[in-house]
Amino acid sequence: MVFSKKPLQFIIAALVAFFPLISTANPTGDSTHVAVEATHEAASKSHEAHGETANLTEEQKADLERKAYIKHHLMDSHDFTLFTYGGEEHPTHVGFPLPVILWDGGLHLFSSSKFEHGEAVAESNGNYYKINHHDGLVYKTDAEGNFTEDAKGHVTNAKPIDFSITKNIFMILVVGLILFMLFAGLGKSYKKNGSIAKGAGRFFEPIILYIRDDIAIPNIGEKHYKKYMSFLLTIFFFIWFLNMFGLTPLGVNITGNLAITASLALITYLITTFTAKKDYWGHIFWMPGVPVPMKFILAPIELLGTIIKPFSLMIRLYANMVAGHIVLMSLIALMYTFNSPIGSPLSFFLAFVLSLLEILVALLQAYIFTMLAALYFGAAVEEHHHDEHHEAAHH
């Protein structure tokens, strides 16, 4: 057999691929518990609006729960729950709370344990706050935790400015700390061992060299690539590590959060804009070799193109990661839907294969983001000599 030659590698790959199956089949956290109730509530309102009974069958409830898990597994939460046991009536959540930081006429700082996984009202300095079941956001309420809605069903309660350390932010800090410790140690090992990496650095050194020799230098150039290397290395490993954590039973979906991908794209755009040479702006606002009337037409289009580029970075990373999670969780849900000796194992096998593919996608998306960022930087510092050639030919 093929796997008999390298059984350890196959076992490790199988375990890694199995992680997201565990995470999806056992969704945890306050957002999941709140999601099921919110879905049931929304379904009941829908049935009542159509004159139907609000009493749902067990099959309908199960279907609603599966949809809620798929939707809210992608959401952020105010606590970090590792797993839950004990059933729906008396669930026991194993994890730890995170700090809630609100600004509402002053600073409000308290533990997310006060929310009791979205079920209780938290009191702080005489004000009351509660997590809304529909959007997972914190709103200011009365002591009973009542919400008011407009005709369209939107919550009209006052919403404080939320600076809380949520699950996604916590994992970003963890990944940042891992990167700092990993590469600080790699740098020290170079000094101690005569520019030879040791330990984990031996695995990461070829990747670093690949980013330098095959991404940075070809796209930016020998003259300017060094000032962008720190960003390119950081963005590659940051996205890669976050994507890999998204495939673990921790149930995090950081790069599937539009705010995160938008922030990364914005940083790329700002670096491109503020490090660009005059030739870059000259080719945008006053392109050489083009008739003057056409310059006025093409300038706004070129300027718009500088904004579309980072926008495509944002959407590409977000859409690919979210799509992977949704497809994987949908396959897991089919196991419970089929509930048969043929359909369930088939769905599990497809989910297992997709999990292996997601490992590749996690690395591929980091590579694509880094490659495109290098292309944008290269365009910003590219030096053009057509004006000099034109003048020489004229003389």
Side-chain angles (χ1 to χ4, degrees):
M1 289 180 62
V2 177
F3 301 126
S4 62
K5 296 181 180 179
K6 297 182 178 180
L8 182 60
Q9 289 89 329
F10 174 69
I11 292 172
I12 293 174
L15 288 175
V16 173
F18 192 68
F19 276 168
L21 305 188
I22 299 174
S23 174
T24 308
N26 299 281
T28 57
D30 62 307
S31 61
T32 301
H33 186 69
V34 168
V36 176
E37 292 189 356
T39 309
H40 286 170
E41 182 181 345
S44 299
K45 288 182 179 180
S46 177
H47 281 286
E48 290 172 358
H50 290 83
E52 301 174 9
T53 177
N55 298 323
L56 302 176
T57 64
E58 290 299 322
E59 184 178 349
Q60 288 174 321
K61 289 182 179 180
D63 183 56
L64 290 173
E65 288 182 9
R66 285 192 290 269
K67 292 179 180 179
Y69 288 153
I70 293 174
K71 178 181 178 181
H72 288 268
H73 179 79
L74 305 175
M75 292 180 64
D76 200 0
S77 61
H78 282 81
D79 66 353
F80 208 107
T81 306
L82 300 176
F83 60 91
T84 303
Y85 65 91
E88 293 184 8
E89 296 183 0
H90 303 286
T92 301
H93 303 280
V94 178
F96 52 90
L98 295 170
V100 178
I101 307 170
L102 305 176
W103 182 267
D104 183 23
L107 185 64
H108 297 269
L109 177 63
F110 55 92
S111 171
S112 63
S113 59
K114 284 190 174 183
F115 288 128
E116 297 181 7
H117 303 281
E119 294 302 305
V121 180
E123 187 273 334
S124 176
N125 300 330
N127 294 335
Y128 298 93
Y129 303 97
K130 189 176 182 182
I131 298 176
N132 183 260
H133 286 181
H134 296 284
D135 53 25
L137 300 178
V138 177
Y139 290 90
K140 190 173 183 179
T141 66
D142 52 23
E144 288 73 34
N146 296 316
F147 293 99
T148 57
E149 298 180 352
D150 57 19
K152 296 182 179 180
H154 299 147
V155 178
T156 57
N157 292 51
K159 185 168 66 173
I161 301 175
D162 195 345
F163 296 102
S164 302
I165 306 298
T166 60
K167 183 169 65 175
N168 282 355
I169 295 175
F170 175 79
M171 287 307 303
I172 289 174
L173 295 175
V174 169
V175 169
L177 180 62
I178 291 174
L179 291 178
F180 177 79
M181 295 176 62
L182 180 66
F183 293 104
L186 178 58
K188 290 179 181 178
S189 71
Y190 276 127
K191 293 181 180 179
K192 291 182 179 179
N193 303 291
S195 300
I196 299 175
K198 289 189 67 177
R202 292 184 179 180
F203 173 78
F204 291 104
E205 183 185 38
I207 302 175
I208 295 172
L209 294 177
Y210 178 82
I211 294 173
R212 183 193 70 182
D213 298 336
D214 292 88
I215 295 179
I217 294 177
N219 293 297
I220 302 175
E222 288 272 4
K223 185 177 180 180
H224 302 287
Y225 83 93
K226 288 184 179 180
K227 65 180 179 181
Y228 296 105
M229 273 299 294
S230 58
F231 175 77
L232 294 177
L233 289 172
T234 301
I235 205 71
F236 176 84
F237 286 103
F238 183 70
I239 294 174
W240 184 25
F241 282 24
L242 289 181
N243 289 347
M244 292 304 295
F245 271 111
L247 296 175
T248 64
L250 297 176
V252 294
N253 179 41
I254 305 172
T255 48
N257 187 315
L258 196 58
I260 303 299
T261 59
S263 299
L264 298 178
L266 179 61
I267 294 172
T268 305
Y269 175 74
L270 291 176
I271 293 175
T272 304
T273 301
F274 289 106
T275 62
K277 293 183 175 293
K278 62 180 182 180
D279 283 348
Y280 174 77
W281 297 111
H283 277 70
I284 290 176
F285 293 107
W286 203 254
M287 284 173 287
V290 177
V292 173
M294 289 298 297
K295 291 182 179 181
F296 290 102
I297 298 174
L298 293 177
I301 298 175
E302 289 292 323
L303 183 61
L304 182 62
T306 64
I307 301 173
I308 294 175
K309 288 177 181 177
F311 182 79
S312 67
L313 277 180
M314 172 187 73
I315 295 298
R316 180 182 289 104
L317 178 59
Y318 164 77
N320 279 282
M321 300 315 299
V322 169
H325 280 277
I326 292 177
V327 173
L328 179 58
M329 288 184 283
S330 299
L331 289 173
I332 295 291
L334 286 176
M335 292 166 50
Y336 299 95
T337 302
F338 287 135
N339 195 21
S340 68
I342 298 177
S344 296
L346 179 60
S347 298
F348 178 83
F349 175 75
L350 292 174
F352 177 80
V353 173
L354 183 64
S355 299
L356 289 172
L357 182 61
E358 281 292 294
I359 298 173
L360 175 62
V361 171
L363 177 61
L364 183 62
Q365 290 304 314
Y367 167 79
I368 292 174
F369 197 103
T370 307
M371 173 64 78
L372 291 176
L375 283 171
Y376 301 156
F377 298 155
V381 297
E382 184 180 2
E383 297 178 356
H384 302 274
H385 304 286
H386 48 77
D387 289 333
E388 297 176 5
H389 294 316
H390 180 73
E391 290 178 6
H394 179 72
H395 290 299

